[in-house]
Amino acid sequence: MPFPNSAQLRPMSTHSPAAGAVAHPTVLVVDFGAQYAQLIARRVREAQVYSEIVPHTATAAELAQRSPAAIIFSGGPASVHVEGAPGIDPDVYELGVPILGICYGSQLLARDLGGRVDRSGRGEYGRTSLRHTGVRSQLLGPVADEHAAGDARDRAGDERDEAASRRAAPPAESVWMSHFDAVTEPPAGFTVTASTADSPAAVIEDPHRRFYGVQHHPEVAHTPSGQAQLERFLHGICGINSEWTMSNVITESIEAIRAQVGSARAICGLSGGVDSAVAAALTQRAIGSQLTCVFVDTGLMRAGEGEQVTDTFRRTQGIELIHERAADEFFEALAGVTDPEDKRKIIGEKFVRIFERAAGGITDARFLVQGTLYPDVIESGSPTAAKIKSHHNVGGLPEDMTFELVEPLRHLFKDEVRAVGAELGLPPEIVQRQPFPGPGLGVRIVGEVTPESVETVRAADVIVRDEIAAAGLDGEVWQGFAVLADIRSVGVMGDERTYARPIIVRAVTSEDAMTADWARLPHDLLESISSRIVNEVPGVNRVVYDISSRSFGTIEWE
Ligand code: XMP
């Protein structure tokens, strides 16, 4: 049955605040192709200042239209000397808006304003000692990190020398670098406030025009004073107030949803994940009983997940919820299918059709609530991103769908969504839950998805997550889960020879799932995971640990 209305699907525009939302002082982060642009935007938000990412091709007039309180140029992989290297409309320097250039952004700013950028010796990668020149700096604070100064002292030898070298050495701190070009002469009007072995003008400042450039990356955790430097720029230099707080976000979102939906009805698909849960809770605060949620139980959920979602939403949130138990239909559709992309498509399509069927009963719904996040908005706007997997979530919308979208999270990063969820009173087991793919355990079984294989991987998954939590490592592991492989190996259990399938344990550290590395789990933790799995999960005789970084292996196996 098709959706019961004919309103056009009207996603909100990508770069403007939600209808009815209060405009906050905005920092525009110009993306020069670095993996760091999102991180910079998040760090700015951590300073309670609203930020958005914009492409470097935006004209100065387009940037000015957003009335930015400040502009930050991100790093990027190019060299300013290479033909076709990404640039910026030079009129941006005439807007009277403060600018901070980071890494490539600093080189571009220096080059555009008449300074010199050269290839520096061998380049600098990783932790680097940044030596303050002694010229008064607005950006750099007192040296917080004694590490670099300590290195100099260690080299100085005995205690008497230490006192002398402490007096003589200019303050230095440890920062994170990754560059081969460097600013060698600052443009007129700038002073050099810090340098490194390979970057004579590592920090440059023009307080008169409020233009600043740093060769290091203040946004990464490996630069201990980086957040303080960003906050000095935002609050001290640009005078921006801290008003991007989650309680303001909630109040404003509720007003925006009310203004958009009016007295109409809305539906929301709950997936069990954080995003749809928070979007639903926020919408419920705004329009109460005008919202109905639909939870499609695919049979591919983690242990206890279906009950947890229905219980939370029906009982503690008082939301009207339709629970569609559809496991049999999914298993039937997946019978004999082994190709990952086929599985994803089948699960995504089936999900939407069952959702449609359930929603068909709500004949007057005109709006569909979705938990689209800001990174999804940025990524879907990127024409160059190669498609690796067809992602399915509740947003796997068919083209013939005719709802107006309500997307209260489309300006938020994941950590902000969690904070909003906690403030709305959602329980920690929902708000802190690990990311989980829309196709569920279906893409954690290599080979055919059957009720038995799902049972096996589900039982192993609970063990992996429980053991990581019991070791107190939940906060450090972004995702930790089990994958069932479709190979067999010989083993021995008791006196019996076994020939069974292995479980692959995958645990990764990450900040945003864009980059991820395998988690260095302690050996005794790996041992308890392994022995519990082979002892408690029937049909598994071996456990292996995946040590692939996301630079070549995606987080999920399919
Ligand atoms: P990959 O496997 O691409 O995963 O490294 C990156 C992150 O995305 C999650 N993931 C999905 N999330 N629908 C989702 O909503 C999907 O189809 C999907 N596939 C992967 C994955 O768990 C990881 O956090």
Side-chain angles (χ1 to χ4, degrees), residues 344 389-393 435-439 444 478-479 513 550 554-556:
R344 282 177 173 272
K389 298 173 185 179
S390 355
H391 267 220
H392 154 70
N393 48 34
F436 186 56
R444 290 184 179 169
W478 169 266
Q479 276 172 284
R550 197 176 187 262
T554 51
I555 295 178
E556 304 291 345

Side-chain angles (χ1 to χ4, degrees), residues 115-131:
R116 230 187 113 113
V117 176
D118 289 305
R119 176 137 308 199
S120 66
R122 285 165 288 123
E124 289 169 308
Y125 304 93
R127 267 183 229 284
T128 308
S129 177
L130 181 79
R131 205 156 287 285

Side-chain angles (χ1 to χ4, degrees), residues 135 227 323 332 482 536:
V135 174
Q227 185 66 18
H323 185 177
E332 201 178 302
E536 297 173 31

Side-chain angles (χ1 to χ4, degrees), residues 271 275 344 376 388-395 414 434-440 443-444 478-479 481 506 508 510 512-514 516 550 553-558:
S271 67
D275 310 339
R344 282 177 173 272
D376 306 333
I388 297 168
K389 298 173 185 179
S390 355
H391 267 220
H392 154 70
N393 48 34
V394 183
K414 190 92 177 180
Q434 288 181 8
F436 186 56
V443 290
R444 290 184 179 169
W478 169 266
Q479 276 172 284
F481 56 88
R506 177 83 162 133
V508 296
S510 177
D512 48 17
M514 305 271 282
R550 197 176 187 262
T554 51
I555 295 178
E556 304 291 345
W557 267 53
E558 294 200 329

Side-chain angles (χ1 to χ4, degrees), residues 9 58 73 118 157 159 190 201 249 324 397 400 422 435 479 483 506 539:
L9 184 66
F73 293 173
D118 289 305
E159 275 184 23
F190 281 77
V249 166
E324 277 290 310
L397 297 170
D400 57 356
Q479 276 172 284
V483 175
R506 177 83 162 133

Side-chain angles (χ1 to χ4, degrees), residues 137-344:
S137 166
Q138 290 189 307
L139 215 49
L140 304 170
V143 172
D145 174 73
E146 280 291 304
H147 168 83
D151 283 351
R153 287 200 295 278
D154 291 346
R155 282 193 299 274
D158 69 31
E159 275 184 23
R160 264 178 304 130
D161 287 351
E162 182 186 319
S165 75
R166 206 198 289 253
R167 271 196 308 278
E173 62 184 301
S174 177
V175 296
W176 190 259
M177 293 275 198
S178 179
H179 70 108
F180 44 85
D181 285 352
V183 179
T184 45
E185 267 173 40
F190 281 77
T191 52
V192 176
T193 56
S195 60
T196 68
D198 255 350
S199 300
V203 179
I204 55 174
E205 309 190 22
D206 177 351
H208 181 64
R209 285 182 287 181
R210 295 190 295 174
F211 291 161
Y212 302 81
V214 295
Q215 183 56 64
H216 62 274
H217 287 275
E219 73 278 19
V220 305
H222 294 100
T223 298
S225 55
Q227 185 66 18
Q229 291 166 3
L230 286 175
E231 291 186 9
R232 243 175 254 118
F233 174 68
L234 297 168
H235 303 311
I237 295 171
C238 306
I240 308 173
N241 291 334
S242 306
E243 47 181 83
W244 181 253
T245 64
M246 290 311 108
S247 59
N248 284 347
V249 166
I250 292 172
T251 313
E252 290 157 18
S253 298
I254 288 174
E255 279 167 26
I257 295 168
R258 283 188 186 142
Q260 189 188 359
V261 176
S263 57
R265 290 193 65 79
I267 57 172
C268 176
L270 289 177
S271 67
V274 184
D275 310 339
S276 60
V278 174
L282 203 48
T283 308
Q284 198 267 349
R285 292 292 186 285
I287 59 167
S289 58
Q290 289 159 250
L291 173 71
T292 304
C293 289
V294 179
F295 174 57
V296 177
D297 198 336
T298 58
L300 304 170
M301 319 295 286
R302 289 171 283 193
E305 203 153 44
E307 299 74 38
Q308 209 173 54
V309 170
T310 47
D311 187 58
T312 301
F313 282 87
R314 276 207 187 113
R315 208 168 46 76
T316 64
Q317 300 289 309
I319 291 182
E320 190 186 323
L321 181 80
I322 298 172
H323 185 177
E324 277 290 310
R325 288 182 183 76
D328 292 347
E329 284 182 57
F330 278 88
F331 286 126
E332 201 178 302
L334 288 167
V337 180
T338 54
D339 179 77
E341 275 300 288
D342 288 349
K343 283 190 204 172
R344 282 177 173 272

